Amino acid sequence: NAGVTQTPKFQVLKTGQSMTLQCAQDMNHEYMSWYRQDPGMGLRLIHYSVGAGITDQGEVPNGYNVSRSTTEDFPLRLLSAAPSQTSVYFCASSWTKTTNEKLFFGSGTQLSVL
Amino acid sequence: LAKTTQPISMDSYEGQEVNITCSHNNIATNDYITWYQQFPSQGPRFIIQGYKTKVTNEVASLFIPADRKSSTLSLPRVSLSDTAVYYCLVGDPHGSGNTGKLIFGQGTTLQVKP
């Protein structure tokens, strides 16, 4: 079982460049989300989706866009990268949005913006 | 705005029992309490989940008092490999639960020494 797959694992961008972080899950999960993790800050929710075609903002959505056209994929777009977006990004999924479901995380994407 | 509060760090020695307490004063009636473990350079992974009283599995126990305003993760006889960051997750800090806005706290860094 692949679970939650994130690509790329590492990425270096220049300020102002755009890119898309990919996230795919093969468990037919309704719920997917993106977190960023910075030293001493824990996991901060960027965006989440409770099903295909439905997305909503988390704690730190500015500078990021998402869409959910299929159940399997939930890409995160940086339209104009800034050094403040240097971070490790994790994608997660679960069967539904309810808190009794386990979250399954990908292995992360380490992003550096110069 | 985190809905949970945990100690930032804890130290222990191999073979000891470790208890990490999480405060969640505003927990919603239908929120479950879930704990995750994160090793360096990996995504968090599920450890244990409960709603009330005590839950035990092969790796940990979870104690939840009747008022559900806190929970305690208990790791019996820790080893060096238990060195990790531990997060408790309750749910949306603003809503009545099951919105999908899953906000993590800062987590507890557990250092196990030989």
Side-chain angles (χ1 to χ4, degrees), chain A residues 21-80:
Chain A
L21 279 63
Q22 302 290 345
C23 176
Q25 51 90 11
D26 62 357
M27 298 173 282
N28 202 31
H29 285 172
E30 285 185 355
Y31 179 86
M32 297 185 75
S33 57
W34 277 102
Y35 291 88
R36 62 176 287 174
Q37 187 170 42
D38 304 294
M41 300 292 290
L43 293 157
R44 292 187 290 171
L45 181 66
I46 305 172
H47 286 285
Y48 63 99
S49 168
V50 300
I54 306 170
T55 63
D56 208 341
Q57 296 182 348
E59 303 172 89
V60 289
N62 292 340
Y64 307 95
N65 281 354
V66 293
S67 60
R68 184 95 180 271
S69 56
T70 67
T71 299
E72 295 78 18
D73 301 298
F74 191 43
L76 179 71
R77 297 182 185 86
L78 284 70
L79 299 180
S80 179

Side-chain angles (χ1 to χ4, degrees), chain A residues 31 35 37 40-43 45 48 50 57-59 90 94 97-108, chain B residues 1 30-32 34 36 38 41-46 49 87 89-91 98-106:
Chain A
Y31 179 86
Y35 291 88
Q37 187 170 42
M41 300 292 290
L43 293 157
L45 181 66
Y48 63 99
V50 300
Q57 296 182 348
E59 303 172 89
F90 289 101
S94 64
K97 64 181 181 179
T98 57
T99 59
N100 63 324
E101 299 289 352
K102 300 177 189 179
L103 279 172
F104 293 82
F105 284 83
S107 57
Chain B
L1 178 63
N30 53 358
D31 272 348
Y32 279 68
T34 310
Y36 291 86
Q38 185 181 26
S41 302
Q42 295 185 23
R45 67 174 188 175
F46 172 90
Q49 182 183 78
Y87 294 94
L89 176 65
V90 175
N98 293 334
T99 64
K101 196 169 187 177
L102 303 178
I103 305 296
F104 282 84
Q106 287 189 308

